């Protein structure tokens, strides 16, 4: 069989996590409209007869302003080594500028074949697609370059085939029923974080971290108790996340519970608390405690 590793790299918000989910055919990574959503290297596994591809979704590479930012960039860079193929993802619906140029330069020094994928073509017309493809072509010596839409699925099969061609003969690395390397606690925490970011949007998304303390079967049948703490960085953010008479936190809880019930395949009782961890993004000890 063929098996191997493929890393997805790009600026924040270009659609890396959406693409990972599309490639493996399941939601394994959270997605939000806010840049710098992904904070871990997340593996998603595509299983086909005689084929296994282990994809890594990475944090978007950006100009760091905090210790967390530095760590995220390091994680993304590290994922470039020991893979069989790299997908350089660009947002075709936006301006292709300095951030992409910086990444292209970084990728020039990588020995691995790099496929450039121009994403979000569902929102641009054909006449804009061509100049965007040409612009990406100028940026580097890509093995291939494909226009795709991770949301509509356009050309995701073509991209999968191109990646498959780069996979060597090898053993399966993950059992057939495993689609991601994340623990259940991590997936649950990420779902809660996704809903918190989605509800908060501009105000505090980057200040939020989620720690799951408990996932246990409840007293009555088919109920799982999930307890989690939602951390913010500043006292003033607590009130924002909780909202007037708890409305914002309730909204986050309702949305999270809905998705957790699918993930855990049964009813969920979600206990969410908001806690303060002062300036955690800049504090190495706190980062570690929060799982970063
Ligand atoms: N129209 C359109 N939107 C897309 C497409 N792919 C992703 N998006 C949107 O782009 C936004 C960012 O998507 P993500 O998958 O979270 O992007 P990311 O690159 O993982 O972002 P970071 O984790 O922050 O680096 C979300 O609002 C997605 O719905 C696409 O093919 N078409
Ligand atoms: Mg992401």
């Amino acid at each position: 069989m063929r098996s191997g590793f493929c890393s997805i790299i790009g600026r924040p918000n270009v659609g890396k996590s959406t693409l990972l989910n599309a490639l493996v055919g399941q939601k394994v990574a959270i997605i939000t409209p806010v840049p710098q959503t992904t904070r871990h290297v997340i593996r998603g596994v595509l299983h086909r007869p005689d084929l296994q591809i282990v994809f890594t979704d990475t944090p978007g590479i950006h100009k760091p302003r905090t210790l967390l930012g530095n760590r995220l960039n390091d994680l993304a860079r590290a994922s470039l080594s020991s893979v069989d193929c790299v997908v350089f993802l660009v947002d075709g619906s936006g301006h292709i500028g300095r951030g992409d140029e910086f990444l292209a330069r970084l990728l020039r020094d990588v020995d691995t074949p790099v496929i450039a994928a121009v994403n979000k073509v569902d929102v641009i017309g054909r006449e804009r697609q061509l100049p965007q493809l040409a612009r990406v072509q100028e940026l580097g010596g890509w093995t291939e370059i494909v226009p795709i839409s991770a949301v509509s699925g356009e050309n995701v099969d073509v991209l999968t085939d191109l990646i498959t061609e780069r996979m060597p003969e090898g053993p399966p690395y993950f059992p057939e029923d495993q689609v991601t390397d994340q623990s259940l606690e991590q997936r649950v925490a990420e779902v809660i974080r996704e809903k918190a970011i989605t509800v908060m949007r501009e105000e505090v998304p980057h200040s939020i971290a989620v720690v799951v303390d408990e996932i246990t079967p409840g007293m009555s049948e088919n109920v799982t108790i999930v307890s989690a703490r939602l951390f913010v960085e500043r006292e003033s953010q607590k009130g924002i996340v909780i909202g007037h008479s708890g409305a914002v936190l309730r909204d986050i809880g309702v949305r999270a519970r809905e998705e957790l019930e699918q993930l855990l395949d049964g009813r969920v009782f979600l206990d969410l608390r908001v806690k303060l961890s002062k300036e955690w993004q800049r504090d190495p000890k706190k980062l570690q405690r929060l799982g970063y």
Side-chain angles (χ1 to χ4, degrees):
M1 78 181 283
R2 282 177 178 222
S3 65
F5 296 84
C6 174
S7 217
I8 307 167
I9 289 275
R11 285 192 303 112
N13 218 37
V14 296
K16 296 177 296 300
S17 301
T18 311
L19 178 61
L20 175 79
N21 294 344
L23 287 164
V24 304
Q26 234 190 79
K27 179 170 174 180
V28 294
I30 62 167
I31 295 163
T32 83
V34 177
Q36 289 168 51
T37 291
T38 304
R39 291 181 184 159
H40 287 110
V41 166
I42 293 172
R43 295 197 171 76
V45 189
L46 172 69
H47 299 272
R48 294 249 176 100
D50 294 322
L51 173 71
Q52 186 175 97
I53 308 176
V54 182
F55 293 102
T56 43
D57 178 19
T58 60
I61 291 189
H62 62 287
K63 219 180 233 169
R65 279 181 311 180
T66 62
L67 184 60
L68 177 67
N70 275 315
R71 296 229 169 136
L72 298 185
N73 282 343
D74 290 348
L75 281 176
R77 281 213 182 110
S79 79
L80 289 174
S81 60
S82 27
V83 290
D84 303 290
C85 165
V86 172
V87 172
F88 171 42
L89 196 64
V90 174
D91 181 349
S93 72
H95 173 67
I96 298 169
R98 295 206 0 223
D100 297 297
E101 281 165 16
F102 172 79
L103 266 167
R105 271 199 302 279
L106 190 77
L107 291 171
R108 252 178 250 154
D109 299 329
V110 171
D111 290 332
T112 318
V114 180
I115 300 170
V118 179
N119 194 27
K120 309 196 187 181
V121 295
D122 54 300
V123 288
I124 59 172
R126 294 257 166 221
E127 68 294 343
R128 250 190 95 204
Q129 226 185 85
L130 285 176
Q132 291 292 69
L133 286 167
R135 174 88 186 95
V136 173
Q137 182 83 59
E138 274 170 20
L139 289 181
W142 317 118
T143 309
E144 307 274 353
I145 168 164
V146 240
I148 65 162
S149 167
V151 162
S152 77
E154 187 181 338
N155 277 348
V156 170
D157 53 342
V158 174
L159 180 61
T160 306
D161 289 346
L162 292 172
I163 297 166
T164 303
E165 285 170 21
R166 313 278 154 201
M167 293 297 118
E169 286 287 320
Y173 295 101
F174 283 86
E176 226 169 278
D177 57 357
Q178 197 178 341
V179 286
T180 182
D181 63 338
Q182 300 165 96
S183 68
L184 190 61
E185 280 77 11
Q186 283 168 335
R187 290 185 81 177
V188 168
E190 286 288 87
V191 168
I192 297 169
R193 198 163 63 84
E194 178 185 84
K195 304 311 172 196
I197 295 175
T198 308
V199 170
M200 307 308 304
R201 288 287 185 105
E202 269 102 62
E203 294 181 79
V204 277
H206 296 120
S207 298
I208 292 171
V210 175
V211 172
V212 169
D213 297 306
E214 183 192 2
I215 304 176
T216 49
M219 296 292 267
S220 64
E221 224 177 289
N222 202 21
V223 175
T224 307
I225 298 172
V226 174
S227 318
R229 282 170 297 163
L230 212 156
F231 287 92
V232 291
E233 291 192 285
R234 287 183 277 285
E235 187 62 46
S236 60
Q237 293 172 334
K238 273 173 87 173
I240 301 174
V241 175
I242 293 167
H244 184 60
S245 357
V248 176
L249 188 62
R250 212 171 313 122
D251 189 13
I252 296 170
V254 167
R255 291 169 192 241
R257 183 158 50 84
E258 198 175 55
E259 192 164 320
L260 291 177
E261 290 191 334
Q262 285 173 23
L263 182 65
L264 300 169
D265 198 20
R267 284 170 51 214
V268 166
F269 174 82
L270 179 60
D271 174 30
L272 260 187
R273 285 150 212 243
V274 180
K275 299 278 171 193
L276 175 67
S277 178
K278 261 203 179 126
E279 299 290 338
W280 64 263
Q281 284 197 65
R282 296 165 199 278
D283 182 330
K285 278 211 188 96
K286 287 179 179 166
L287 278 177
Q288 198 187 11
R289 241 177 274 144
L290 294 170
Y292 297 114

